[in-house]
Amino acid sequence: MAANTAFVIVGASLAGAKAAQTLREEGFDGPVVLLGEESERPYERPPLSKGYLLGKDERETVYVHPPKWYAEHDVELRLGTTVTAIHPAEHRVTLADGSRLGYAKLLLTTGSSPRRLPVPGADLDGVHYLRRLADSDRIKESFASASRIAVIGAGWIGLETAAAARTAGAEVTVLETAELPLLRVLGREVAQIFADLHTNHGVDLRFGAQVAEITGADGRANGVLLADGSRIDADAVIVGVGITPNTQLAAAADLDVDNGIRVDAHLRTSHPDIYAAGDVANAFHPLLDKHIRVEHWANARNQPQVAAKGMLGQDVSYDRVPYFFTDQYDLGMEYTGYVEPGGYDQVVFRSQRDTREFIVFWLAEGRVLAGMNVNVWDVTDPIRSLVTSRHQIDRARLADPDVPLDELLDRPDSTA
């Protein structure tokens, strides 16, 4: 391989695989090298806390591409390979074995890592974090033997694993420091819906809970001790207290790092030949006119296409509205838009929230910032249009299920 001619992607994730795919689809015929620390070829993460964890999806369905795809498309996939340093001036990366690899363009899709719980006992056997396929395998195995499971953290991962554990027949206790699950993300009105959902399915929700220690015997977790002195018995403990972007390589290479690798709307870093995409990228969003870092599947799937095209010299920007989804028990939902904590002044429900079939909107000054459809389908496109329009919307019509969403943009109400 000639020096400094390859397009190198660090991170054999969904984002990395999609970038490699886009490079080939756009006609790039030079060397493409995809480097990944794991032994697994690139896979998607949502099934790890949803269908795969529940045993509904076969293992092969989680992978981004079939095994032969990489060779068939002349993508050099190097698994079990760790990059230890980036040398922007030399256009090279250093690998763990000491070898160096030259690049013409570099894409960082290094993702994120689970935050570790800083309490005694956090390293005991039976304490699980969910990020990788092997983690999902271990948690699934614990469902087969554990009758009592404690989940620390009531974010998306915590709630989805709690739902899976409850579906598997375990007694489940969820421990959360806040007053409600997902409070910062969804606000009180909608957070209560998820609290009720889990309570109705027999989950013991403990709010305002401060974990002091994970207790154990013979090296294995057997419970959680809270700061108030109470103790939760558990055969397994699942920790979901957030993730941290993997920016170490970028920071050491003097790239601009601030809550992720800071990139422009083209997903280009502070070095013109280095790009970043997915969980690790804190990208400037043209619609929102600010930098945001989105930790969801849709970002990892769609951002790399823009990054790859940018690496090829195309003038493209990433302006898709953030999107994510969840499935818990009999509740499925999709969320479209972006709202910072406390960044809205009104919540509007379309249909009654207690029906578990509704759409809810977050607004600021009469403009729709985000919408979430719960057990209502095929409405993400009109919700996205409401978000991107930036129009003030008549709130009475927005709440009326008899008014088609598409019609709301026909008569924007500047006095709403």
Side-chain angles (χ1 to χ4, degrees):
M1 182 186 299
N4 294 6
T5 63
F7 279 23
V8 174
I9 303 167
V10 180
S13 55
L14 168 62
K18 284 297 181 182
Q21 178 181 331
T22 302
L23 289 172
R24 290 307 187 218
E25 289 175 347
E26 292 296 311
F28 180 66
D29 59 3
V32 175
V33 184
L34 180 55
L35 307 172
E37 290 185 340
E38 294 186 59
S39 59
E40 301 281 354
R41 71 183 190 274
Y43 56 85
E44 306 205 34
R45 298 192 191 279
L48 306 190
S49 60
K50 298 181 177 71
Y52 182 71
L53 183 60
L54 286 165
K56 295 179 179 179
D57 298 339
E58 296 296 328
R59 188 182 188 88
E60 193 60 28
T61 64
V62 309
Y63 295 103
V64 182
H65 297 118
K68 296 180 180 179
W69 183 91
Y70 300 93
E72 289 172 349
H73 291 81
D74 197 21
V75 172
E76 185 180 351
L77 176 60
R78 298 194 195 177
L79 300 176
T81 300
T82 300
V83 175
T84 57
I86 302 168
H87 311 281
E90 302 173 26
H91 281 64
R92 292 182 183 274
V93 297
T94 297
L95 307 182
D97 63 3
S99 64
R100 289 194 171 193
L101 177 65
Y103 64 83
K105 303 284 185 180
L106 180 68
L107 173 61
L108 301 176
T109 57
T110 49
S112 52
S113 298
R115 292 191 188 121
R116 299 286 157 171
L117 200 63
V119 299
D123 57 350
L124 289 168
D125 288 342
V127 177
H128 304 286
Y129 294 82
L130 179 56
R131 186 63 184 169
R132 297 186 171 188
L133 185 55
D135 298 331
S136 188
D137 287 334
R138 283 189 288 269
I139 293 173
K140 190 189 301 187
E141 289 173 3
S142 75
F143 289 171
S145 57
S147 61
R148 300 165 302 181
I149 292 178
V151 178
I152 301 174
W156 295 116
I157 291 296
L159 293 186
E160 288 178 357
T161 54
R166 195 74 190 98
T167 301
E171 294 180 12
V172 178
T173 302
V174 174
L175 305 169
E176 168 60 40
T177 58
E179 300 173 54
L180 288 169
L182 303 166
L183 186 58
R184 280 177 52 82
V185 179
L186 301 179
R188 185 172 301 277
E189 300 91 338
V190 183
Q192 186 64 55
I193 292 170
F194 283 89
D196 293 343
L197 172 71
H198 283 266
T199 299
N200 292 343
H201 282 85
V203 174
D204 182 6
L205 295 174
R206 306 281 185 96
F207 298 118
Q210 300 288 337
V211 174
E213 179 182 354
I214 297 177
T215 63
D218 300 323
R220 186 167 189 83
N222 64 10
V224 180
L225 180 66
L226 302 183
D228 64 6
S230 61
R231 184 178 179 279
I232 310 300
D233 291 330
D235 305 307
V237 178
I238 300 170
V239 181
V241 292
I243 58 177
T244 302
N246 294 326
T247 60
Q248 298 90 334
L249 283 173
D254 290 328
L255 301 180
D256 191 357
V257 171
D258 177 18
N259 182 31
I261 302 172
R262 197 170 174 88
V263 296
D264 61 18
H266 311 290
L267 304 181
R268 187 171 46 223
T269 71
S270 52
H271 190 284
D273 292 329
I274 303 178
Y275 292 71
D279 285 2
V280 77
N282 184 4
F284 182 80
H285 197 286
L287 175 68
L288 302 172
D289 195 31
K290 66 176 70 175
H291 278 80
I292 64 171
R293 188 173 64 83
V294 179
E295 301 171 349
H296 296 296
W297 164 86
N299 229 44
R301 189 182 190 283
N302 297 312
Q303 264 193 353
Q305 300 171 31
V306 170
K309 292 176 182 179
M311 294 164 73
L312 294 171
Q314 300 180 28
D315 185 14
V316 290
S317 298
Y318 188 76
D319 58 1
R320 291 179 68 98
V321 175
Y323 165 92
F324 62 89
F325 68 98
T326 190
D327 296 301
Q328 299 172 35
Y329 310 110
D330 55 351
L331 184 149
M333 80 82 173
E334 299 172 293
Y335 180 106
T336 304
Y338 180 80
V339 184
E340 292 185 334
Y344 62 95
D345 55 35
Q346 190 173 22
V347 175
V348 174
F349 282 85
R350 189 177 179 90
S351 296
Q352 295 300 313
R353 69 188 78 181
D354 56 5
T355 65
R356 296 262 169 85
E357 290 185 8
F358 61 85
I359 306 173
V360 57
F361 298 93
W362 289 262
L363 290 78
E365 299 180 347
R367 296 177 174 86
V368 175
L369 303 179
M372 184 176 83
N373 47 300
V374 175
N375 291 338
V376 177
W377 308 113
D378 301 322
V379 293
T380 53
D381 286 344
I383 291 174
R384 184 181 299 111
S385 296
L386 288 170
V387 172
T388 58
S389 74
R390 317 300 281 176
H391 289 160
Q392 288 187 315
I393 302 297
D394 184 321
R395 286 171 292 211
R397 299 180 76 228
L398 183 63
D400 187 349
D402 292 329
V403 178
L405 290 174
D406 291 334
E407 291 185 8
L408 291 169
L409 291 177
D410 295 339
R411 291 172 20 194
D413 184 355
S414 62
T415 64

